[in-house]
Amino acid sequence: MASQGMVSLCVMTPRVPLKNPKKRLCHHRVLCSKLSQWEPSTLTQSSTEEAGGLVLEKTKNVFESIVSESEEEENVVSTQLFKWPIWILGPSVLLTTGMAPTLWLPLSSVYIGSKVVSVLSLIGLDCIFNLGATLFLLMADSCARAKDTSQPCESQPPFSYKFWNVFALLTGFLVPMILLLGSKTGLLGSLQPEVPFLSVAVLLFPYFILLAVQTLTEILTWSWQSPVWLVTPVVYEAYRVLQLMRGLKLSAEVNAPVWVVHMIRGLVSWWVLIVGMCNS
């Protein structure tokens, strides 16, 4: 019966002559491609083990994917719960540090004593607003970032936006500077009488500082590709309108000439126009 399970393919090796002719042996080499029916197949066992390993690996990968998806969902939920208070805290900080002192603080408490003290007090109010605006922009940036932190956030403003924004900043800086220098040097004879330096500092020095801070913030948001580049000019330009309105109230305290009052009114109209164009 054992011979029935063998393969018919057998190769006979030639007889090897020995020194003793009486003791001749025939060495046969049998090559079989099929084993007997009672001998286990190693190929089948290996394939079964490999299949079992693949099943275990697939099961493990599915389990890991389910665990990773559940972890991602938990992270998203925790991130959303963390962002909800920021949506309330950010605008509250901005209004508290910016709008409240400017709208409800009486100017008589700011304009006390010499003009130098008044300038420092106004700059201090603007510094408080700058701190609040910085905190607000940082909170808005963290909320506007993508949920998947592994992907880089690339939010680049278009060239037309950059061009008009820079044009608005340069116009708001150069026009009052040219008028003031023209009145000092006598190039613009119609701009008389001349305004003292301290009076100009009370009216416009905080305005120039805020322009510089906004320009620096805009450059940083563009270079960092922060998604808050669209909110930044609205925050600073809205406060700038209030700042210039404060300057109009202080113009009577410093006895500013009429052309200075008209210049400040022109700046208010310019920045109101720019704020309207940004929101449209």
Side-chain angles (χ1 to χ4, degrees), residues 143-196:
C143 292
R145 291 282 180 179
K147 297 178 181 178
D148 188 5
T149 57
S150 61
Q151 297 179 357
C153 182
E154 296 181 358
S155 179
Q156 189 69 22
F159 176 76
S160 59
Y161 172 84
K162 292 182 178 181
F163 174 78
W164 289 111
N165 199 8
V166 173
F167 176 76
L169 291 173
L170 289 178
T171 303
F173 175 76
L174 291 177
V175 169
M177 188 62 67
I178 290 173
L179 293 178
L180 291 174
L181 292 177
S183 65
K184 291 288 184 180
T185 57
L187 296 176
L188 300 176
S190 59
L191 301 180
Q192 295 296 328
E194 183 180 340
V195 186

Coordinates of all heavy atoms in Angstrom, one line a residue, residues 143-196:
C143 N -8.4 79.1 17.7 CA -9.7 78.5 17.4 C -9.9 78.3 15.9 O -10.6 77.4 15.4 CB -10.8 79.5 17.8 SG -11.0 79.6 19.6
A144 N -9.2 79.1 15.1 CA -9.3 79.0 13.6 C -8.4 78.0 13.0 O -8.5 77.7 11.8 CB -9.1 80.4 13.0
R145 N -7.4 77.5 13.8 CA -6.5 76.5 13.2 C -7.3 75.2 12.9 O -8.4 74.9 13.5 CB -5.4 76.2 14.3 CG -4.4 77.3 14.5 CD -3.5 77.4 13.4 NE -2.5 78.5 13.6 CZ -1.5 78.8 12.7 NH1 -1.3 78.1 11.7 NH2 -0.7 79.8 13.0
A146 N -6.7 74.3 12.1 CA -7.3 73.1 11.7 C -7.4 72.1 12.9 O -6.5 72.2 13.8 CB -6.5 72.4 10.5
K147 N -8.3 71.2 12.9 CA -8.5 70.3 13.9 C -7.3 69.3 14.0 O -6.9 68.9 15.0 CB -9.8 69.5 13.8 CG -11.0 70.4 13.9 CD -12.3 69.6 13.7 CE -13.5 70.5 13.8 NZ -14.8 69.8 13.6
D148 N -6.8 68.9 12.8 CA -5.7 68.0 12.7 C -4.4 68.8 12.8 O -4.1 69.5 11.8 CB -5.8 67.2 11.3 CG -4.7 66.1 11.3 OD1 -4.1 65.9 12.3 OD2 -4.6 65.5 10.2
T149 N -3.8 68.7 13.9 CA -2.6 69.5 14.1 C -1.4 69.0 13.3 O -0.4 69.7 13.2 CB -2.2 69.5 15.6 OG1 -2.1 68.1 16.0 CG2 -3.3 70.2 16.4
S150 N -1.5 67.8 12.8 CA -0.4 67.3 12.0 C -0.3 68.0 10.6 O 0.8 68.0 10.0 CB -0.5 65.8 11.8 OG -1.7 65.5 11.1
Q151 N -1.4 68.5 10.1 CA -1.4 69.2 8.9 C -1.0 70.7 9.1 O -1.6 71.3 10.0 CB -2.7 69.1 8.2 CG -3.1 67.7 7.8 CD -4.5 67.6 7.2 OE1 -5.2 68.6 7.0 NE2 -4.9 66.4 6.7
P152 N -0.1 71.2 8.3 CA 0.2 72.7 8.5 C -0.9 73.6 8.0 O -1.5 73.3 7.0 CB 1.5 72.8 7.7 CG 1.4 71.8 6.6 CD 0.7 70.6 7.3
C153 N -1.1 74.6 8.8 CA -2.2 75.6 8.4 C -1.5 76.7 7.6 O -0.7 77.4 8.0 CB -2.8 76.2 9.7 SG -4.1 77.3 9.4
E154 N -2.0 76.7 6.3 CA -1.5 77.7 5.4 C -2.6 78.6 5.0 O -3.5 78.2 4.2 CB -0.9 77.0 4.2 CG 0.4 76.2 4.5 CD 1.0 75.5 3.3 OE1 0.4 75.7 2.2 OE2 2.0 74.8 3.5
S155 N -2.6 79.8 5.4 CA -3.7 80.8 5.1 C -3.0 82.1 4.7 O -2.5 82.9 5.5 CB -4.6 81.0 6.3 OG -5.6 82.0 6.0
Q156 N -2.8 82.2 3.4 CA -2.1 83.4 2.8 C -3.1 84.3 2.2 O -3.9 84.0 1.4 CB -1.1 82.8 1.8 CG -0.1 83.9 1.3 CD 0.9 84.3 2.3 OE1 1.1 83.6 3.3 NE2 1.5 85.5 2.2
P157 N -3.1 85.6 2.6 CA -3.9 86.6 2.0 C -3.5 86.9 0.5 O -2.4 86.7 0.1 CB -3.8 87.8 2.8 CG -2.4 87.7 3.4 CD -2.2 86.2 3.6
P158 N -4.5 87.2 -0.3 CA -4.2 87.5 -1.7 C -3.3 88.8 -1.9 O -3.3 89.7 -0.9 CB -5.5 87.7 -2.4 CG -6.5 88.0 -1.3 CD -5.9 87.3 -0.1
F159 N -2.7 89.0 -3.0 CA -1.9 90.1 -3.2 C -2.7 91.4 -3.2 O -2.2 92.5 -2.8 CB -1.1 90.0 -4.6 CG -0.3 91.2 -4.9 CD1 1.0 91.4 -4.3 CD2 -0.7 92.1 -5.9 CE1 1.7 92.5 -4.6 CE2 0.1 93.2 -6.2 CZ 1.3 93.4 -5.6
S160 N -3.9 91.4 -3.8 CA -4.7 92.6 -3.8 C -5.0 93.1 -2.4 O -5.0 94.3 -2.2 CB -6.0 92.4 -4.6 OG -6.7 91.3 -4.0
Y161 N -5.3 92.2 -1.5 CA -5.6 92.6 -0.1 C -4.3 93.2 0.5 O -4.5 94.2 1.2 CB -6.0 91.3 0.6 CG -6.1 91.5 2.1 CD1 -7.3 92.1 2.7 CD2 -5.1 91.3 3.0 CE1 -7.4 92.3 4.0 CE2 -5.2 91.5 4.4 CZ -6.4 92.0 4.9 OH -6.5 92.2 6.2
K162 N -3.2 92.6 0.3 CA -1.9 93.2 0.8 C -1.7 94.6 0.3 O -1.3 95.5 1.0 CB -0.8 92.3 0.5 CG -0.8 91.0 1.3 CD 0.5 90.2 0.9 CE 0.5 88.9 1.7 NZ 1.8 88.1 1.4
F163 N -1.9 94.7 -1.0 CA -1.6 96.0 -1.7 C -2.5 97.1 -1.1 O -2.0 98.2 -0.7 CB -1.9 95.9 -3.2 CG -1.7 97.2 -3.9 CD1 -0.5 97.7 -4.2 CD2 -2.9 97.9 -4.3 CE1 -0.4 99.0 -4.8 CE2 -2.8 99.1 -5.0 CZ -1.5 99.6 -5.2
W164 N -3.8 96.9 -1.0 CA -4.7 97.9 -0.5 C -4.6 98.2 1.0 O -4.8 99.3 1.5 CB -6.2 97.5 -0.8 CG -6.5 97.6 -2.3 CD1 -6.8 96.6 -3.2 CD2 -6.6 98.9 -3.1 NE1 -7.0 97.1 -4.4 CE2 -6.9 98.5 -4.4 CE3 -6.4 100.2 -2.8 CZ2 -7.0 99.4 -5.4 CZ3 -6.5 101.1 -3.8 CH2 -6.8 100.7 -5.1
N165 N -4.2 97.1 1.7 CA -4.0 97.3 3.1 C -2.7 98.2 3.4 O -2.7 99.1 4.2 CB -3.8 96.0 3.8 CG -4.0 96.1 5.3 OD1 -4.4 97.1 5.8 ND2 -3.7 95.0 6.0
V166 N -1.7 97.9 2.6 CA -0.4 98.7 2.8 C -0.7 100.2 2.3 O -0.2 101.2 2.9 CB 0.7 98.1 2.0 CG1 1.9 99.0 1.9 CG2 1.1 96.8 2.6
F167 N -1.5 100.3 1.2 CA -1.9 101.6 0.7 C -2.6 102.4 1.7 O -2.4 103.6 1.9 CB -2.7 101.5 -0.6 CG -3.2 102.8 -1.1 CD1 -2.3 103.6 -1.8 CD2 -4.5 103.1 -1.0 CE1 -2.8 104.8 -2.3 CE2 -5.0 104.3 -1.5 CZ -4.1 105.2 -2.1
A168 N -3.6 101.8 2.4 CA -4.4 102.5 3.5 C -3.5 102.9 4.6 O -3.6 104.0 5.2 CB -5.5 101.6 4.0
L169 N -2.5 102.0 5.1 CA -1.6 102.4 6.2 C -0.7 103.5 5.8 O -0.5 104.5 6.6 CB -0.8 101.2 6.6 CG -1.6 100.0 7.3 CD1 -0.7 98.8 7.5 CD2 -2.1 100.5 8.6
L170 N -0.1 103.5 4.6 CA 0.8 104.6 4.1 C 0.0 105.9 4.0 O 0.5 106.9 4.3 CB 1.4 104.2 2.8 CG 2.5 103.1 2.9 CD1 3.0 102.8 1.5 CD2 3.6 103.5 3.8
T171 N -1.2 105.8 3.5 CA -2.0 107.1 3.3 C -2.3 107.7 4.7 O -2.2 108.9 4.9 CB -3.3 106.8 2.5 OG1 -2.9 106.2 1.3 CG2 -4.0 108.1 2.3
G172 N -2.7 106.8 5.6 CA -3.0 107.3 6.9 C -1.8 107.8 7.7 O -2.0 108.6 8.6
F173 N -0.6 107.4 7.3 CA 0.6 108.0 7.9 C 1.1 109.2 7.2 O 1.5 110.2 7.9 CB 1.6 106.9 8.0 CG 3.0 107.3 8.5 CD1 3.2 107.5 9.9 CD2 4.0 107.6 7.6 CE1 4.4 107.9 10.4 CE2 5.2 108.0 8.1 CZ 5.4 108.2 9.5
L174 N 1.2 109.1 5.9 CA 1.8 110.2 5.1 C 1.0 111.5 5.1 O 1.6 112.6 5.2 CB 2.1 109.7 3.7 CG 3.2 108.6 3.6 CD1 3.3 108.2 2.1 CD2 4.5 109.1 4.1
V175 N -0.3 111.4 5.0 CA -1.1 112.7 4.9 C -0.9 113.6 6.1 O -0.6 114.8 6.0 CB -2.5 112.3 4.6 CG1 -3.4 113.5 4.7 CG2 -2.7 111.7 3.2
P176 N -1.2 113.1 7.3 CA -1.0 114.0 8.5 C 0.5 114.4 8.7 O 0.8 115.6 9.1 CB -1.5 113.2 9.7 CG -1.4 111.8 9.2 CD -1.6 111.8 7.8
M177 N 1.4 113.5 8.3 CA 2.8 113.9 8.5 C 3.2 115.0 7.5 O 3.9 116.0 7.9 CB 3.7 112.7 8.2 CG 5.2 112.9 8.6 SD 5.5 113.3 10.3 CE 5.0 111.7 11.1
I178 N 2.7 114.9 6.3 CA 3.1 116.0 5.3 C 2.4 117.3 5.7 O 3.0 118.4 5.6 CB 2.6 115.5 3.9 CG1 3.4 114.4 3.4 CG2 2.6 116.7 2.9 CD1 2.9 113.8 2.1
L179 N 1.2 117.3 6.2 CA 0.5 118.5 6.6 C 1.2 119.1 7.8 O 1.4 120.4 7.8 CB -0.9 118.2 6.9 CG -1.8 117.8 5.8 CD1 -3.2 117.5 6.3 CD2 -1.8 118.9 4.7
L180 N 1.7 118.3 8.7 CA 2.3 118.9 9.9 C 3.7 119.4 9.5 O 4.1 120.5 10.0 CB 2.5 117.8 11.0 CG 1.2 117.4 11.7 CD1 1.4 116.2 12.6 CD2 0.5 118.5 12.4
L181 N 4.5 118.7 8.7 CA 5.8 119.2 8.3 C 5.6 120.4 7.4 O 6.5 121.4 7.5 CB 6.5 118.1 7.6 CG 7.0 116.9 8.4 CD1 7.7 115.9 7.6 CD2 7.9 117.4 9.5
G182 N 4.6 120.5 6.6 CA 4.4 121.7 5.7 C 4.0 122.9 6.5 O 4.5 124.0 6.2
S183 N 3.3 122.7 7.6 CA 3.0 123.9 8.5 C 4.2 124.3 9.3 O 4.4 125.5 9.6 CB 1.9 123.5 9.4 OG 2.3 122.5 10.3
K184 N 5.1 123.4 9.6 CA 6.3 123.8 10.4 C 7.3 124.5 9.5 O 8.0 125.5 9.9 CB 7.0 122.5 10.9 CG 6.2 121.8 12.1 CD 6.2 122.6 13.3 CE 5.5 121.9 14.5 NZ 5.6 122.7 15.7
T185 N 7.5 124.0 8.3 CA 8.6 124.6 7.4 C 8.1 125.8 6.6 O 8.9 126.4 5.9 CB 9.1 123.5 6.4 OG1 7.9 122.9 5.7 CG2 9.7 122.4 7.2
G186 N 6.8 126.0 6.6 CA 6.2 127.1 5.8 C 6.0 126.8 4.4 O 5.6 127.7 3.6
L187 N 6.1 125.5 4.0 CA 5.8 125.2 2.6 C 4.3 125.3 2.3 O 3.9 125.6 1.2 CB 6.3 123.7 2.3 CG 7.8 123.5 2.4 CD1 8.1 122.0 2.2 CD2 8.5 124.4 1.3
L188 N 3.5 125.0 3.3 CA 2.0 125.2 3.1 C 1.6 126.4 4.0 O 1.3 126.2 5.2 CB 1.3 123.9 3.6 CG 1.7 122.6 2.8 CD1 1.0 121.4 3.4 CD2 1.3 122.8 1.3
G189 N 1.6 127.5 3.4 CA 1.4 128.8 4.1 C -0.1 128.9 4.6 O -0.3 129.6 5.6
S190 N -1.0 128.2 4.0 CA -2.4 128.2 4.4 C -2.6 127.5 5.7 O -3.7 127.7 6.3 CB -3.3 127.7 3.3 OG -2.9 126.3 3.0
L191 N -1.7 126.6 6.1 CA -1.9 125.9 7.3 C -1.3 126.7 8.5 O -0.2 126.4 9.0 CB -1.2 124.5 7.2 CG -1.7 123.6 6.1 CD1 -1.0 122.3 6.0 CD2 -3.3 123.4 6.2
Q192 N -2.0 127.7 8.9 CA -1.6 128.5 9.9 C -2.7 128.7 10.9 O -3.9 128.7 10.5 CB -1.0 129.9 9.4 CG 0.2 129.8 8.5 CD 1.4 129.3 9.3 OE1 1.6 129.6 10.5 NE2 2.3 128.6 8.7
P193 N -2.5 128.9 12.2 CA -1.2 129.1 12.8 C -0.5 127.7 13.1 O -1.1 126.7 12.9 CB -1.6 129.7 14.2 CG -2.9 129.2 14.4 CD -3.6 129.1 13.1
E194 N 0.8 127.8 13.4 CA 1.6 126.7 13.7 C 1.2 126.0 15.0 O 0.8 126.6 16.0 CB 3.0 127.1 13.7 CG 4.0 125.9 13.9 CD 5.4 126.4 13.9 OE1 5.7 127.6 13.5 OE2 6.3 125.7 14.4
V195 N 1.2 124.6 15.0 CA 0.8 123.9 16.2 C 2.0 123.5 17.0 O 3.0 123.0 16.4 CB 0.1 122.6 15.7 CG1 -0.5 121.8 16.9 CG2 -1.0 122.9 14.8
P196 N 2.0 123.8 18.3 CA 3.2 123.4 19.1 C 3.4 121.8 19.1 O 2.4 121.1 18.9 CB 2.8 123.9 20.5 CG 1.8 124.9 20.3 CD 1.0 124.5 19.1

